[in-house]
PDB file of all heavy atoms in Angstrom:
ATOM      1  N   ALA V   3     107.417  11.934 -39.504  1.00 96.00           N
ATOM      2  CA  ALA V   3     107.264  10.530 -39.119  1.00 96.00           C
ATOM      3  C   ALA V   3     105.859  10.050 -39.228  1.00 96.00           C
ATOM      4  O   ALA V   3     104.921  10.883 -39.002  1.00 96.00           O
ATOM      5  CB  ALA V   3     107.844  10.261 -37.756  1.00 96.00           C
ATOM      6  N   ASP V   4     105.669   8.820 -39.546  1.00 96.00           N
ATOM      7  CA  ASP V   4     104.321   8.109 -39.447  1.00 96.00           C
ATOM      8  C   ASP V   4     104.176   7.651 -38.038  1.00 96.00           C
ATOM      9  O   ASP V   4     104.837   6.701 -37.633  1.00 96.00           O
ATOM     10  CB  ASP V   4     104.269   6.989 -40.439  1.00 96.00           C
ATOM     11  CG  ASP V   4     103.042   6.127 -40.358  1.00 96.00           C
ATOM     12  OD1 ASP V   4     102.002   6.656 -39.744  1.00 96.00           O
ATOM     13  OD2 ASP V   4     103.066   4.985 -40.868  1.00 96.00           O
ATOM     14  N   VAL V   5     103.287   8.276 -37.266  1.00 97.00           N
ATOM     15  CA  VAL V   5     103.133   7.977 -35.822  1.00 97.00           C
ATOM     16  C   VAL V   5     101.872   7.153 -35.609  1.00 97.00           C
ATOM     17  O   VAL V   5     100.748   7.636 -35.977  1.00 97.00           O
ATOM     18  CB  VAL V   5     103.116   9.253 -34.948  1.00 97.00           C
ATOM     19  CG1 VAL V   5     102.915   8.861 -33.463  1.00 97.00           C
ATOM     20  CG2 VAL V   5     104.434  10.010 -35.117  1.00 97.00           C
ATOM     21  N   ILE V   6     102.012   5.952 -35.131  1.00 98.00           N
ATOM     22  CA  ILE V   6     100.879   5.061 -34.886  1.00 98.00           C
ATOM     23  C   ILE V   6     100.635   5.086 -33.358  1.00 98.00           C
ATOM     24  O   ILE V   6     101.455   4.643 -32.570  1.00 98.00           O
ATOM     25  CB  ILE V   6     101.200   3.615 -35.332  1.00 98.00           C
ATOM     26  CG1 ILE V   6     101.443   3.573 -36.798  1.00 98.00           C
ATOM     27  CG2 ILE V   6      99.986   2.645 -34.940  1.00 98.00           C
ATOM     28  CD1 ILE V   6     102.103   2.242 -37.281  1.00 98.00           C
ATOM     29  N   LYS V   7      99.489   5.652 -32.921  1.00 98.00           N
ATOM     30  CA  LYS V   7      99.135   5.750 -31.558  1.00 98.00           C
ATOM     31  C   LYS V   7      98.358   4.467 -31.160  1.00 98.00           C
ATOM     32  O   LYS V   7      97.304   4.197 -31.677  1.00 98.00           O
ATOM     33  CB  LYS V   7      98.287   6.991 -31.323  1.00 98.00           C
ATOM     34  CG  LYS V   7      97.918   7.209 -29.828  1.00 98.00           C
ATOM     35  CD  LYS V   7      97.199   8.512 -29.675  1.00 98.00           C
ATOM     36  CE  LYS V   7      96.872   8.760 -28.193  1.00 98.00           C
ATOM     37  NZ  LYS V   7      98.026   8.898 -27.339  1.00 98.00           N
ATOM     38  N   VAL V   8      98.978   3.746 -30.174  1.00 98.00           N
ATOM     39  CA  VAL V   8      98.367   2.532 -29.665  1.00 98.00           C
ATOM     40  C   VAL V   8      97.610   2.842 -28.406  1.00 98.00           C
ATOM     41  O   VAL V   8      98.174   3.336 -27.489  1.00 98.00           O
ATOM     42  CB  VAL V   8      99.434   1.432 -29.412  1.00 98.00           C
ATOM     43  CG1 VAL V   8      98.776   0.157 -28.915  1.00 98.00           C
ATOM     44  CG2 VAL V   8     100.204   1.175 -30.696  1.00 98.00           C
ATOM     45  N   GLU V   9      96.283   2.583 -28.438  1.00 97.00           N
ATOM     46  CA  GLU V   9      95.422   2.999 -27.280  1.00 97.00           C
ATOM     47  C   GLU V   9      94.751   1.785 -26.716  1.00 97.00           C
ATOM     48  O   GLU V   9      94.556   0.747 -27.312  1.00 97.00           O
ATOM     49  CB  GLU V   9      94.371   4.005 -27.761  1.00 97.00           C
ATOM     50  CG  GLU V   9      94.962   5.277 -28.368  1.00 97.00           C
ATOM     51  CD  GLU V   9      93.934   6.306 -28.695  1.00 97.00           C
ATOM     52  OE1 GLU V   9      93.335   6.904 -27.776  1.00 97.00           O
ATOM     53  OE2 GLU V   9      93.705   6.554 -29.906  1.00 97.00           O
ATOM     54  N   SER V  10      94.339   1.952 -25.433  1.00 96.00           N
ATOM     55  CA  SER V  10      93.579   0.877 -24.760  1.00 96.00           C
ATOM     56  C   SER V  10      92.148   0.871 -25.358  1.00 96.00           C
ATOM     57  O   SER V  10      91.771   1.760 -26.137  1.00 96.00           O
ATOM     58  CB  SER V  10      93.482   1.213 -23.278  1.00 96.00           C
ATOM     59  OG  SER V  10      92.649   2.354 -23.081  1.00 96.00           O
ATOM     60  N   PRO V  11      91.354  -0.126 -24.975  1.00 96.00           N
ATOM     61  CA  PRO V  11      90.007  -0.207 -25.491  1.00 96.00           C
ATOM     62  C   PRO V  11      89.166   1.058 -25.154  1.00 96.00           C
ATOM     63  O   PRO V  11      88.269   1.453 -25.873  1.00 96.00           O
ATOM     64  CB  PRO V  11      89.348  -1.444 -24.782  1.00 96.00           C
ATOM     65  CG  PRO V  11      90.555  -2.329 -24.647  1.00 96.00           C
ATOM     66  CD  PRO V  11      91.715  -1.380 -24.292  1.00 96.00           C
ATOM     67  N   GLU V  12      89.429   1.734 -23.983  1.00 95.00           N
ATOM     68  CA  GLU V  12      88.792   2.903 -23.584  1.00 95.00           C
ATOM     69  C   GLU V  12      89.413   4.115 -24.260  1.00 95.00           C
ATOM     70  O   GLU V  12      88.801   5.252 -24.212  1.00 95.00           O
ATOM     71  CB  GLU V  12      88.872   3.074 -22.101  1.00 95.00           C
ATOM     72  CG  GLU V  12      88.227   1.976 -21.294  1.00 95.00           C
ATOM     73  CD  GLU V  12      89.125   0.722 -21.159  1.00 95.00           C
ATOM     74  OE1 GLU V  12      90.380   0.822 -21.325  1.00 95.00           O
ATOM     75  OE2 GLU V  12      88.578  -0.344 -21.049  1.00 95.00           O
ATOM     76  N   GLY V  13      90.524   4.014 -24.845  1.00 94.00           N
ATOM     77  CA  GLY V  13      91.200   5.143 -25.469  1.00 94.00           C
ATOM     78  C   GLY V  13      92.105   5.878 -24.461  1.00 94.00           C
ATOM     79  O   GLY V  13      91.912   5.758 -23.220  1.00 94.00           O
ATOM     80  N   ASP V  14      93.010   6.675 -24.966  1.00 94.00           N
ATOM     81  CA  ASP V  14      93.757   7.551 -24.124  1.00 94.00           C
ATOM     82  C   ASP V  14      92.821   8.373 -23.238  1.00 94.00           C
ATOM     83  O   ASP V  14      91.825   8.920 -23.752  1.00 94.00           O
ATOM     84  CB  ASP V  14      94.681   8.453 -24.972  1.00 94.00           C
ATOM     85  CG  ASP V  14      95.678   9.258 -24.190  1.00 94.00           C
ATOM     86  OD1 ASP V  14      95.396   9.556 -22.956  1.00 94.00           O
ATOM     87  OD2 ASP V  14      96.727   9.635 -24.745  1.00 94.00           O
ATOM     88  N   GLU V  15      93.108   8.464 -21.921  1.00 92.00           N
ATOM     89  CA  GLU V  15      92.177   9.148 -21.059  1.00 92.00           C
ATOM     90  C   GLU V  15      91.954  10.586 -21.394  1.00 92.00           C
ATOM     91  O   GLU V  15      90.946  11.224 -21.069  1.00 92.00           O
ATOM     92  CB  GLU V  15      92.579   9.059 -19.605  1.00 92.00           C
ATOM     93  CG  GLU V  15      93.929   9.709 -19.281  1.00 92.00           C
ATOM     94  CD  GLU V  15      94.310   9.439 -17.829  1.00 92.00           C
ATOM     95  OE1 GLU V  15      94.797   8.302 -17.556  1.00 92.00           O
ATOM     96  OE2 GLU V  15      94.119  10.363 -17.037  1.00 92.00           O
ATOM     97  N   THR V  16      92.855  11.184 -22.183  1.00 92.00           N
ATOM     98  CA  THR V  16      92.686  12.552 -22.566  1.00 92.00           C
ATOM     99  C   THR V  16      91.483  12.760 -23.506  1.00 92.00           C
ATOM    100  O   THR V  16      91.042  13.860 -23.731  1.00 92.00           O
ATOM    101  CB  THR V  16      93.950  13.142 -23.286  1.00 92.00           C
ATOM    102  OG1 THR V  16      94.319  12.309 -24.358  1.00 92.00           O
ATOM    103  CG2 THR V  16      95.114  13.144 -22.264  1.00 92.00           C
ATOM    104  N   ARG V  17      91.025  11.638 -24.126  1.00 94.00           N
ATOM    105  CA  ARG V  17      89.795  11.732 -24.960  1.00 94.00           C
ATOM    106  C   ARG V  17      88.616  12.214 -24.078  1.00 94.00           C
ATOM    107  O   ARG V  17      87.602  12.651 -24.653  1.00 94.00           O
ATOM    108  CB  ARG V  17      89.515  10.402 -25.622  1.00 94.00           C
ATOM    109  CG  ARG V  17      90.503  10.025 -26.700  1.00 94.00           C
ATOM    110  CD  ARG V  17      90.138   8.741 -27.430  1.00 94.00           C
ATOM    111  NE  ARG V  17      91.044   8.477 -28.527  1.00 94.00           N
ATOM    112  CZ  ARG V  17      90.963   8.922 -29.734  1.00 94.00           C
ATOM    113  NH1 ARG V  17      89.987   9.749 -30.073  1.00 94.00           N
ATOM    114  NH2 ARG V  17      91.864   8.590 -30.689  1.00 94.00           N
ATOM    115  N   ARG V  18      88.732  12.021 -22.806  1.00 93.00           N
ATOM    116  CA  ARG V  18      87.619  12.444 -21.922  1.00 93.00           C
ATOM    117  C   ARG V  18      87.955  13.710 -21.126  1.00 93.00           C
ATOM    118  O   ARG V  18      87.170  14.058 -20.231  1.00 93.00           O
ATOM    119  CB  ARG V  18      87.320  11.276 -20.949  1.00 93.00           C
ATOM    120  CG  ARG V  18      86.843  10.005 -21.656  1.00 93.00           C
ATOM    121  CD  ARG V  18      86.668   8.804 -20.762  1.00 93.00           C
ATOM    122  NE  ARG V  18      87.968   8.292 -20.293  1.00 93.00           N
ATOM    123  CZ  ARG V  18      88.781   7.473 -21.024  1.00 93.00           C
ATOM    124  NH1 ARG V  18      88.413   7.182 -22.281  1.00 93.00           N
ATOM    125  NH2 ARG V  18      89.862   7.039 -20.538  1.00 93.00           N
ATOM    126  N   TYR V  19      89.060  14.390 -21.461  1.00 93.00           N
ATOM    127  CA  TYR V  19      89.400  15.557 -20.748  1.00 93.00           C
ATOM    128  C   TYR V  19      88.580  16.804 -21.249  1.00 93.00           C
ATOM    129  O   TYR V  19      88.322  16.953 -22.418  1.00 93.00           O
ATOM    130  CB  TYR V  19      90.900  15.940 -21.037  1.00 93.00           C
ATOM    131  CG  TYR V  19      91.864  15.170 -20.116  1.00 93.00           C
ATOM    132  CD1 TYR V  19      91.538  14.105 -19.371  1.00 93.00           C
ATOM    133  CD2 TYR V  19      93.226  15.563 -20.155  1.00 93.00           C
ATOM    134  CE1 TYR V  19      92.452  13.399 -18.564  1.00 93.00           C
ATOM    135  CE2 TYR V  19      94.162  14.886 -19.336  1.00 93.00           C
ATOM    136  CZ  TYR V  19      93.749  13.835 -18.552  1.00 93.00           C
ATOM    137  OH  TYR V  19      94.675  13.158 -17.808  1.00 93.00           O
ATOM    138  N   LEU V  20      88.217  17.622 -20.280  1.00 92.00           N
ATOM    139  CA  LEU V  20      87.572  18.856 -20.588  1.00 92.00           C
ATOM    140  C   LEU V  20      88.586  19.911 -21.083  1.00 92.00           C
ATOM    141  O   LEU V  20      89.768  19.820 -20.651  1.00 92.00           O
ATOM    142  CB  LEU V  20      86.795  19.434 -19.409  1.00 92.00           C
ATOM    143  CG  LEU V  20      85.655  18.541 -18.823  1.00 92.00           C
ATOM    144  CD1 LEU V  20      85.175  19.101 -17.550  1.00 92.00           C
ATOM    145  CD2 LEU V  20      84.576  18.377 -19.859  1.00 92.00           C
ATOM    146  N   PRO V  21      88.191  20.926 -21.889  1.00 94.00           N
ATOM    147  CA  PRO V  21      86.875  21.110 -22.422  1.00 94.00           C
ATOM    148  C   PRO V  21      86.668  20.301 -23.720  1.00 94.00           C
ATOM    149  O   PRO V  21      87.662  20.004 -24.393  1.00 94.00           O
ATOM    150  CB  PRO V  21      86.756  22.587 -22.643  1.00 94.00           C
ATOM    151  CG  PRO V  21      88.179  22.940 -23.063  1.00 94.00           C
ATOM    152  CD  PRO V  21      89.125  22.108 -22.218  1.00 94.00           C
ATOM    153  N   PHE V  22      85.404  20.075 -24.096  1.00 92.00           N
ATOM    154  CA  PHE V  22      85.081  19.486 -25.391  1.00 92.00           C
ATOM    155  C   PHE V  22      84.872  20.558 -26.400  1.00 92.00           C
ATOM    156  O   PHE V  22      84.451  21.699 -26.038  1.00 92.00           O
ATOM    157  CB  PHE V  22      83.862  18.599 -25.307  1.00 92.00           C
ATOM    158  CG  PHE V  22      84.042  17.415 -24.404  1.00 92.00           C
ATOM    159  CD1 PHE V  22      83.138  17.151 -23.348  1.00 92.00           C
ATOM    160  CD2 PHE V  22      85.079  16.497 -24.577  1.00 92.00           C
ATOM    161  CE1 PHE V  22      83.309  16.069 -22.514  1.00 92.00           C
ATOM    162  CE2 PHE V  22      85.249  15.395 -23.798  1.00 92.00           C
ATOM    163  CZ  PHE V  22      84.353  15.220 -22.717  1.00 92.00           C
ATOM    164  N   ILE V  23      85.195  20.297 -27.700  1.00 90.00           N
ATOM    165  CA  ILE V  23      84.931  21.260 -28.726  1.00 90.00           C
ATOM    166  C   ILE V  23      83.427  21.498 -28.766  1.00 90.00           C
ATOM    167  O   ILE V  23      82.639  20.593 -28.686  1.00 90.00           O
ATOM    168  CB  ILE V  23      85.444  20.756 -30.098  1.00 90.00           C
ATOM    169  CG1 ILE V  23      86.928  20.375 -30.039  1.00 90.00           C
ATOM    170  CG2 ILE V  23      85.187  21.772 -31.187  1.00 90.00           C
ATOM    171  CD1 ILE V  23      87.801  21.519 -29.729  1.00 90.00           C
ATOM    172  N   GLU V  24      83.089  22.780 -28.872  1.00 85.00           N
ATOM    173  CA  GLU V  24      81.703  23.200 -28.768  1.00 85.00           C
ATOM    174  C   GLU V  24      80.818  22.383 -29.736  1.00 85.00           C
ATOM    175  O   GLU V  24      81.126  22.240 -30.903  1.00 85.00           O
ATOM    176  CB  GLU V  24      81.546  24.702 -29.126  1.00 85.00           C
ATOM    177  CG  GLU V  24      80.124  25.189 -28.934  1.00 85.00           C
ATOM    178  CD  GLU V  24      80.045  26.689 -29.168  1.00 85.00           C
ATOM    179  OE1 GLU V  24      81.119  27.320 -29.448  1.00 85.00           O
ATOM    180  OE2 GLU V  24      79.001  27.251 -29.122  1.00 85.00           O
ATOM    181  N   GLY V  25      79.743  21.785 -29.152  1.00 79.00           N
ATOM    182  CA  GLY V  25      78.785  21.065 -29.946  1.00 79.00           C
ATOM    183  C   GLY V  25      79.196  19.636 -30.226  1.00 79.00           C
ATOM    184  O   GLY V  25      78.569  18.930 -31.095  1.00 79.00           O
ATOM    185  N   SER V  26      80.240  19.153 -29.538  1.00 87.00           N
ATOM    186  CA  SER V  26      80.677  17.789 -29.831  1.00 87.00           C
ATOM    187  C   SER V  26      81.180  17.163 -28.480  1.00 87.00           C
ATOM    188  O   SER V  26      81.137  17.792 -27.463  1.00 87.00           O
ATOM    189  CB  SER V  26      81.874  17.772 -30.815  1.00 87.00           C
ATOM    190  OG  SER V  26      83.084  18.169 -30.167  1.00 87.00           O
ATOM    191  N   ASP V  27      81.509  15.890 -28.555  1.00 88.00           N
ATOM    192  CA  ASP V  27      82.119  15.190 -27.429  1.00 88.00           C
ATOM    193  C   ASP V  27      83.587  14.943 -27.653  1.00 88.00           C
ATOM    194  O   ASP V  27      84.203  14.046 -27.083  1.00 88.00           O
ATOM    195  CB  ASP V  27      81.378  13.893 -27.119  1.00 88.00           C
ATOM    196  CG  ASP V  27      81.426  12.893 -28.257  1.00 88.00           C
ATOM    197  OD1 ASP V  27      81.996  13.282 -29.355  1.00 88.00           O
ATOM    198  OD2 ASP V  27      80.926  11.767 -28.121  1.00 88.00           O
ATOM    199  N   PHE V  28      84.210  15.745 -28.526  1.00 90.00           N
ATOM    200  CA  PHE V  28      85.604  15.647 -28.858  1.00 90.00           C
ATOM    201  C   PHE V  28      86.489  16.598 -27.998  1.00 90.00           C
ATOM    202  O   PHE V  28      86.260  17.790 -27.998  1.00 90.00           O
ATOM    203  CB  PHE V  28      85.780  15.873 -30.348  1.00 90.00           C
ATOM    204  CG  PHE V  28      87.004  15.259 -30.925  1.00 90.00           C
ATOM    205  CD1 PHE V  28      87.046  13.971 -31.374  1.00 90.00           C
ATOM    206  CD2 PHE V  28      88.195  15.975 -31.026  1.00 90.00           C
ATOM    207  CE1 PHE V  28      88.145  13.365 -31.921  1.00 90.00           C
ATOM    208  CE2 PHE V  28      89.359  15.429 -31.570  1.00 90.00           C
ATOM    209  CZ  PHE V  28      89.321  14.097 -31.964  1.00 90.00           C
ATOM    210  N   SER V  29      87.448  16.026 -27.316  1.00 93.00           N
ATOM    211  CA  SER V  29      88.275  16.797 -26.415  1.00 93.00           C
ATOM    212  C   SER V  29      89.227  17.750 -27.151  1.00 93.00           C
ATOM    213  O   SER V  29      89.887  17.344 -28.133  1.00 93.00           O
ATOM    214  CB  SER V  29      89.078  15.855 -25.522  1.00 93.00           C
ATOM    215  OG  SER V  29      90.107  16.536 -24.833  1.00 93.00           O
ATOM    216  N   ALA V  30      89.292  18.997 -26.681  1.00 92.00           N
ATOM    217  CA  ALA V  30      90.277  19.949 -27.244  1.00 92.00           C
ATOM    218  C   ALA V  30      91.683  19.408 -27.096  1.00 92.00           C
ATOM    219  O   ALA V  30      92.567  19.635 -27.929  1.00 92.00           O
ATOM    220  CB  ALA V  30      90.083  21.305 -26.612  1.00 92.00           C
ATOM    221  N   PHE V  31      91.951  18.721 -25.988  1.00 91.00           N
ATOM    222  CA  PHE V  31      93.270  18.174 -25.672  1.00 91.00           C
ATOM    223  C   PHE V  31      93.666  17.202 -26.740  1.00 91.00           C
ATOM    224  O   PHE V  31      94.747  17.219 -27.323  1.00 91.00           O
ATOM    225  CB  PHE V  31      93.209  17.516 -24.291  1.00 91.00           C
ATOM    226  CG  PHE V  31      94.603  17.242 -23.746  1.00 91.00           C
ATOM    227  CD1 PHE V  31      95.027  17.953 -22.689  1.00 91.00           C
ATOM    228  CD2 PHE V  31      95.383  16.258 -24.261  1.00 91.00           C
ATOM    229  CE1 PHE V  31      96.298  17.743 -22.104  1.00 91.00           C
ATOM    230  CE2 PHE V  31      96.601  15.949 -23.634  1.00 91.00           C
ATOM    231  CZ  PHE V  31      97.049  16.742 -22.560  1.00 91.00           C
ATOM    232  N   THR V  32      92.758  16.226 -27.079  1.00 93.00           N
ATOM    233  CA  THR V  32      93.048  15.231 -28.100  1.00 93.00           C
ATOM    234  C   THR V  32      93.250  15.865 -29.451  1.00 93.00           C
ATOM    235  O   THR V  32      94.153  15.476 -30.218  1.00 93.00           O
ATOM    236  CB  THR V  32      91.887  14.213 -28.174  1.00 93.00           C
ATOM    237  OG1 THR V  32      91.898  13.445 -26.946  1.00 93.00           O
ATOM    238  CG2 THR V  32      92.036  13.282 -29.342  1.00 93.00           C
ATOM    239  N   ALA V  33      92.445  16.858 -29.759  1.00 92.00           N
ATOM    240  CA  ALA V  33      92.539  17.512 -31.067  1.00 92.00           C
ATOM    241  C   ALA V  33      93.948  18.144 -31.234  1.00 92.00           C
ATOM    242  O   ALA V  33      94.516  18.097 -32.318  1.00 92.00           O
ATOM    243  CB  ALA V  33      91.453  18.593 -31.170  1.00 92.00           C
ATOM    244  N   ALA V  34      94.491  18.702 -30.206  1.00 92.00           N
ATOM    245  CA  ALA V  34      95.748  19.390 -30.253  1.00 92.00           C
ATOM    246  C   ALA V  34      96.961  18.446 -30.271  1.00 92.00           C
ATOM    247  O   ALA V  34      97.889  18.637 -31.041  1.00 92.00           O
ATOM    248  CB  ALA V  34      95.863  20.388 -29.092  1.00 92.00           C
ATOM    249  N   ILE V  35      96.893  17.446 -29.375  1.00 94.00           N
ATOM    250  CA  ILE V  35      98.108  16.641 -29.115  1.00 94.00           C
ATOM    251  C   ILE V  35      98.248  15.423 -30.066  1.00 94.00           C
ATOM    252  O   ILE V  35      99.338  14.921 -30.318  1.00 94.00           O
ATOM    253  CB  ILE V  35      98.140  16.138 -27.673  1.00 94.00           C
ATOM    254  CG1 ILE V  35      98.051  17.328 -26.698  1.00 94.00           C
ATOM    255  CG2 ILE V  35      99.398  15.339 -27.364  1.00 94.00           C
ATOM    256  CD1 ILE V  35      99.158  18.355 -26.872  1.00 94.00           C
ATOM    257  N   ASN V  36      97.105  15.030 -30.646  1.00 94.00           N
ATOM    258  CA  ASN V  36      97.080  13.771 -31.403  1.00 94.00           C
ATOM    259  C   ASN V  36      96.765  13.963 -32.850  1.00 94.00           C
ATOM    260  O   ASN V  36      96.522  13.009 -33.603  1.00 94.00           O
ATOM    261  CB  ASN V  36      96.194  12.747 -30.770  1.00 94.00           C
ATOM    262  CG  ASN V  36      96.691  12.297 -29.387  1.00 94.00           C
ATOM    263  OD1 ASN V  36      97.806  11.893 -29.229  1.00 94.00           O
ATOM    264  ND2 ASN V  36      95.793  12.424 -28.410  1.00 94.00           N
ATOM    265  N   ARG V  37      96.826  15.229 -33.361  1.00 93.00           N
ATOM    266  CA  ARG V  37      96.585  15.447 -34.759  1.00 93.00           C
ATOM    267  C   ARG V  37      97.605  14.724 -35.615  1.00 93.00           C
ATOM    268  O   ARG V  37      98.744  14.600 -35.241  1.00 93.00           O
ATOM    269  CB  ARG V  37      96.571  16.955 -35.052  1.00 93.00           C
ATOM    270  CG  ARG V  37      97.861  17.682 -34.736  1.00 93.00           C
ATOM    271  CD  ARG V  37      97.798  19.167 -35.085  1.00 93.00           C
ATOM    272  NE  ARG V  37      98.941  19.892 -34.632  1.00 93.00           N
ATOM    273  CZ  ARG V  37     100.136  19.906 -35.180  1.00 93.00           C
ATOM    274  NH1 ARG V  37     100.327  19.194 -36.294  1.00 93.00           N
ATOM    275  NH2 ARG V  37     101.119  20.620 -34.663  1.00 93.00           N
ATOM    276  N   SER V  38      97.082  14.299 -36.800  1.00 94.00           N
ATOM    277  CA  SER V  38      97.927  13.666 -37.850  1.00 94.00           C
ATOM    278  C   SER V  38      98.461  12.277 -37.479  1.00 94.00           C
ATOM    279  O   SER V  38      99.315  11.743 -38.272  1.00 94.00           O
ATOM    280  CB  SER V  38      99.080  14.605 -38.218  1.00 94.00           C
ATOM    281  OG  SER V  38      98.613  15.838 -38.627  1.00 94.00           O
ATOM    282  N   LYS V  39      98.079  11.722 -36.345  1.00 96.00           N
ATOM    283  CA  LYS V  39      98.522  10.413 -36.021  1.00 96.00           C
ATOM    284  C   LYS V  39      97.490   9.405 -36.521  1.00 96.00           C
ATOM    285  O   LYS V  39      96.430   9.728 -36.885  1.00 96.00           O
ATOM    286  CB  LYS V  39      98.689  10.241 -34.509  1.00 96.00           C
ATOM    287  CG  LYS V  39      99.746  11.193 -33.881  1.00 96.00           C
ATOM    288  CD  LYS V  39      99.740  11.001 -32.362  1.00 96.00           C
ATOM    289  CE  LYS V  39     100.714  12.023 -31.695  1.00 96.00           C
ATOM    290  NZ  LYS V  39     100.654  11.956 -30.243  1.00 96.00           N
ATOM    291  N   ARG V  40      97.951   8.079 -36.506  1.00 97.00           N
ATOM    292  CA  ARG V  40      96.985   7.001 -36.767  1.00 97.00           C
ATOM    293  C   ARG V  40      96.723   6.290 -35.490  1.00 97.00           C
ATOM    294  O   ARG V  40      97.596   6.254 -34.586  1.00 97.00           O
ATOM    295  CB  ARG V  40      97.553   5.999 -37.813  1.00 97.00           C
ATOM    296  CG  ARG V  40      97.701   6.684 -39.174  1.00 97.00           C
ATOM    297  CD  ARG V  40      97.955   5.650 -40.256  1.00 97.00           C
ATOM    298  NE  ARG V  40      99.254   5.047 -40.174  1.00 97.00           N
ATOM    299  CZ  ARG V  40      99.650   3.977 -40.870  1.00 97.00           C
ATOM    300  NH1 ARG V  40      98.790   3.326 -41.631  1.00 97.00           N
ATOM    301  NH2 ARG V  40     100.872   3.522 -40.794  1.00 97.00           N
ATOM    302  N   SER V  41      95.503   5.753 -35.263  1.00 97.00           N
ATOM    303  CA  SER V  41      95.160   5.088 -34.013  1.00 97.00           C
ATOM    304  C   SER V  41      94.773   3.668 -34.197  1.00 97.00           C
ATOM    305  O   SER V  41      94.018   3.291 -35.164  1.00 97.00           O
ATOM    306  CB  SER V  41      93.992   5.863 -33.369  1.00 97.00           C
ATOM    307  OG  SER V  41      93.467   5.165 -32.250  1.00 97.00           O
ATOM    308  N   ILE V  42      95.311   2.802 -33.359  1.00 98.00           N
ATOM    309  CA  ILE V  42      94.861   1.415 -33.241  1.00 98.00           C
ATOM    310  C   ILE V  42      94.583   1.182 -31.759  1.00 98.00           C
ATOM    311  O   ILE V  42      95.273   1.609 -30.874  1.00 98.00           O
ATOM    312  CB  ILE V  42      95.925   0.460 -33.758  1.00 98.00           C
ATOM    313  CG1 ILE V  42      95.444  -1.038 -33.623  1.00 98.00           C
ATOM    314  CG2 ILE V  42      97.301   0.608 -33.112  1.00 98.00           C
ATOM    315  CD1 ILE V  42      96.317  -2.024 -34.341  1.00 98.00           C
TER     316      ILE V  42
END
């Protein structure tokens, strides 16, 4: 399926969940749960 993730202006709060991928501010949670989706 083509999944379009609709987020608030701040983004899904999981974007701020620890831990972040080493050397970045990108949440491991977001990387795992939201891969291959599109975001608006």
Side-chain angles (χ1 to χ4, degrees):
D4 172 20
V5 178
I6 300 167
K7 183 174 180 63
V8 180
E9 302 186 67
S10 70
E12 300 78 25
D14 189 330
E15 63 184 77
T16 56
R17 290 185 178 273
R18 297 174 288 281
Y19 278 13
L20 298 174
F22 297 125
I23 303 298
E24 185 177 359
S26 76
D27 61 355
F28 203 84
S29 168
F31 196 107
T32 291
I35 304 303
N36 295 308
R37 59 178 171 80
S38 302
K39 299 176 185 177
R40 295 194 286 168
S41 171
I42 180 171

